[in-house]
Amino acid sequence: MTDPSVPTGIVITGLSHDYTPRAGTRVRALEDVSLTVATGSFHALLGPSGCGKSTLLYCIGGFLPVQTGSIRTDRGLVTDPGPDRGVVFQNFALFPWKTVLQNILYGIGKRGIRGAEARDRAQHFIDLVHLTGFEASFPGQLSGGMQQRAALARTLAAEPDILLMDEPFGALDAQTRRIMQEELLGIWRQTRQTVVFVTHDVAEAVYLSDAISVMSARPGRIRRTLSAGFNRAADPAVFKRPDFTEQVELIWQMVRAEVDDARRPAPA
Amino acid sequence: MIGRIALRCSAFLVLLAGWEAANRLGLIRPFLLPPLTAVAARLVADVASGAFFLNAAVTLYRTLAGFALACVIGIPLGILISRRKLVGWFVEPIVSVGFPMPAIAFLPIFMLWFGVFDLSKIVMTGFSAVFTVIAAADAGTRGVERQLTWSAQSLGATRAELFRDVMLPAAMPQILTGLQVALPLALIVEVASEMLMGGTGLGGMMVNAENYADSVGVYAGIVEIALVGGIAVALMARLRRHLLRWHPEAAG
Ligand SMILES: Nc1ncnc2c1ncn2[C@@H]1O[C@H](COP(=O)(O)OP(=O)(O)O)[C@@H](O)[C@H]1O
Ligand SMILES: [Mg+2]
């Protein structure tokens, strides 16, 4: 249980997902999604709001049942949630009744590590996300940015093979978001985990990712997967580089086309 | 803090002053409302003889035993209602019928089953409190964000561990609200059972005084019950503040 995480790829084949609300009609959220996330790569999912990004991520997490198709990692078929796949949610989802330290100790404890060793590990990740000094604070006493750091530390401390992030910086103000993006890249360069990162912010996707998959409006399909690669050079000024802005513009046009498609009235 | 307590007490002081004045002015027959001073003297005598502590201990023991029973049964059941279909199917209708029922009506049945001593009163008290506890735990669990349980699962929690690790603490604010309602309820039903069955305890002592036409004893009993109830409720509020240190309500 305590072996260090081994990055693993993800292969999704023919995945469709329907929601059947108790009242109302069935909604097809994902349609025939096939996607390969390379081992150790940072892969962004980009698409208009409501296109099924979260649904896809929740399926990989094992939180939603796989209805049609399959999801496979190096550990086998995904059927349930498991500590090999860590998640960071947009709303942080920290345990509000636990302190920062207790939150981070939770996953460490579940791996059977206790006492001083657990404490040292937790402290390592607290320091990594710059929350030193806030160990005893409850999440409700922290700012949004600090809560998201704590959530990130909690997930990283469990040392998952795969990191699933659902618009983790979406609830943060622009400055905090920028800082968090830089820090996430810094951490990822050390851990080299496989990351699936959901966002609707094109610049964020281009800045962080090795590969970007653009999804269509609902029902979500993978429209195209492009490679980016600005993340390999630790260059904070990359946002201003012409090749960067060009790439952002190109992908933005693709996303916009999806939004426009969705707005156009269906042919009679 | 001290100012607030003084403000609260001042309401009682006005009430007590009115009581004493009514007697002094001869507005009311002493048997119907004995002078405050006589009741106070009885209270002091009860405390001095230890009778107050004995009766209060008996009443509190049965109240808390019944209350604990209601918690041990009610909290897990309430959490399971919304999480396990079978439990919900069975328990929910029973709770919705049992909740508004006057629990004390079951006293003859419990006396028949559990005798006339402590056990029947404890079961009676627990029965009266358990529906409130179940309903509170159920309501608290329903509101739990699914991302919280997902987080725990992806950190390695098993489905069984979710109850202790996520459901229980997440539902705690509402559970405690339920307990704060259930505790005075349990005390009320305990005192009522004692009054109906006689014997020891604050309620038993009161009904005893009544049988001897000792109206001072009846009033002293009321004050003693109010005192015990007030302390129990205050301690419960304290427990809430301690357990919910993390909650935004604690900041205010
Ligand atoms: N629990 C649910 N019940 C019914 N429909 C849902 C549910 N969750 C999401 N949907 C629908 O599925 C679609 C995809 O949702 P989601 O995956 O959250 O999109 P995104 O994360 O890209 O904004 C949306 O149209 C949404 O309305
Ligand atoms: Mg979403």
Side-chain angles (χ1 to χ4, degrees):
Chain A
M1 278 284 275
T2 57
D3 2 314
S5 63
V6 188
T8 157
I10 309 167
V11 179
I12 303 169
T13 322
L15 183 75
S16 298
H17 195 92
D18 294 329
Y19 286 107
T20 317
R22 252 174 229 128
T25 49
R26 211 166 55 157
V27 178
R28 170 141 289 203
L30 294 176
E31 171 121 328
D32 195 24
V33 168
S34 294
L35 178 69
T36 301
V37 178
T39 302
S41 78
F42 199 118
H43 199 117
L45 291 175
L46 199 58
S49 163
C51 75
K53 302 182 294 294
S54 295
T55 304
L56 179 52
L57 203 76
Y58 295 163
C59 285
I60 302 172
F63 309 126
L64 297 176
V66 174
Q67 297 169 342
T68 316
S70 70
I71 303 173
R72 183 179 285 282
T73 70
D74 294 359
R75 289 183 190 260
L77 280 177
V78 168
T79 54
D80 285 305
D84 55 313
R85 282 150 291 136
V87 214
V88 180
F89 294 105
Q90 178 170 5
N91 62 358
F92 322 130
L94 289 161
F95 304 123
W97 54 87
K98 286 181 188 283
T99 62
V100 166
L101 177 65
Q102 289 168 340
N103 262 284
I104 293 163
L105 280 171
Y106 185 79
I108 298 176
K110 288 285 177 229
R111 299 173 62 210
I113 304 167
R114 314 225 172 258
E117 192 191 344
R119 182 67 235 236
D120 287 348
R121 250 175 219 248
Q123 196 61 52
H124 167 76
F125 287 100
I126 288 170
D127 298 343
L128 188 69
V129 298
H130 305 295
L131 275 181
T132 319
F134 293 93
E135 292 82 356
S137 302
F138 287 105
Q141 301 167 330
L142 301 178
S143 69
M146 290 162 89
Q147 289 188 51
Q148 197 53 291
R149 284 166 203 269
L152 182 61
R154 180 179 68 170
T155 306
L156 291 173
E159 301 192 32
D161 306 334
I162 296 169
L163 207 54
L164 306 171
M165 307 183 86
D166 191 4
E167 306 198 31
F169 308 143
L172 308 180
D173 64 86
Q175 288 160 32
T176 312
R177 192 182 317 154
R178 191 69 165 271
I179 293 166
M180 292 293 290
Q181 289 164 353
E182 263 177 49
E183 289 182 0
L184 176 64
L185 257 194
I187 292 168
W188 175 74
R189 285 200 193 94
Q190 293 169 42
T191 62
R192 292 287 173 185
Q193 274 151 320
T194 307
V195 181
V196 181
F197 188 99
V198 165
T199 179
H200 60 242
D201 180 337
V202 178
E204 180 172 74
V206 175
Y207 175 65
L208 293 172
S209 314
D210 293 309
I212 300 169
S213 291
V214 178
M215 291 177 71
S216 70
R218 201 186 72 202
R221 302 164 213 252
I222 304 293
R223 272 287 181 248
R224 264 186 82 177
T225 298
L226 308 93
S227 57
F230 293 98
N231 60 0
R232 298 282 160 171
D235 177 8
V238 73
F239 278 96
K240 293 197 201 84
R241 266 166 51 184
D243 50 344
F244 181 88
T245 51
E246 216 167 276
Q247 174 96 333
V248 170
E249 186 56 29
L250 178 83
I251 296 177
W252 169 234
Q253 295 300 341
M254 294 169 67
V255 174
R256 219 182 52 198
E258 291 308 324
V259 178
D260 290 346
D261 259 5
R263 284 216 190 108
R264 197 169 303 141
Chain B
M1 184 68 191
I2 288 171
R4 263 197 16 234
I5 291 174
L7 195 68
R8 283 200 166 185
C9 290
S10 62
F12 286 105
L13 286 181
V14 170
L15 196 70
L16 295 178
W19 177 350
E20 188 62 20
N23 276 114
R24 298 246 165 141
L25 298 172
L27 294 177
I28 197 152
R29 275 169 53 205
F31 180 72
L32 296 184
L33 184 68
L36 179 60
T37 40
V39 174
R42 177 66 65 87
L43 280 176
V44 172
D46 279 353
V47 168
S49 72
F52 167 68
F53 297 107
L54 195 74
N55 286 316
V58 169
T59 298
L60 269 179
Y61 155 65
R62 294 184 196 130
T63 303
L64 293 180
F67 180 67
L69 202 66
C71 292
V72 167
I73 295 172
I75 294 174
L77 220 49
I79 292 177
L80 281 171
I81 281 181
S82 54
R83 292 277 138 185
R84 294 284 180 273
K85 281 209 177 76
L86 192 66
V87 179
W89 162 81
F90 189 72
V91 178
E92 210 159 23
I94 295 176
V95 171
S96 57
V97 170
F99 205 174
M101 191 127 59
I104 194 80
F106 283 76
L107 186 60
I109 298 173
F110 291 141
M111 280 168 71
L112 210 59
W113 288 1
F114 303 110
V116 293
F117 297 108
D118 284 357
L119 185 60
S120 58
K121 297 195 188 89
I122 290 171
V123 172
M124 181 68 245
T125 311
F127 181 76
S128 71
V130 78
F131 296 109
T132 309
V133 177
I134 293 176
D138 176 24
T141 317
R142 272 173 209 279
V144 177
E145 253 182 284
R146 54 187 190 159
Q147 275 88 349
L148 276 184
T149 56
W150 289 354
S151 289
Q153 281 181 297
S154 72
L155 291 166
T158 62
R159 266 167 64 80
E161 284 171 333
L162 288 180
F163 289 100
R164 186 199 57 203
D165 292 355
V166 180
M167 297 299 160
L168 183 64
M172 196 47 85
Q174 266 175 293
I175 290 177
L176 284 170
T177 303
L179 297 192
Q180 283 177 301
V181 175
L183 182 60
L185 209 63
L187 184 64
I188 289 166
V189 169
E190 166 58 26
V191 170
S193 318
E194 287 174 5
M195 291 177 75
L196 289 169
M197 293 166 71
T200 50
L202 295 172
M205 184 211 74
M206 246 178 82
V207 87
N208 225 18
E210 194 189 325
N211 289 342
Y212 286 101
D214 169 16
S215 71
V216 173
V218 171
Y219 278 93
I222 290 176
V223 174
E224 288 172 20
I225 290 164
L227 214 62
V228 168
I231 291 172
V233 165
L235 287 179
M236 194 72 208
R238 241 195 169 170
L239 179 71
R240 180 193 186 91
R241 274 203 297 282
H242 174 74
L243 287 177
L244 298 187
R245 287 184 312 280
W246 56 272
H247 201 264
E249 75 173 32

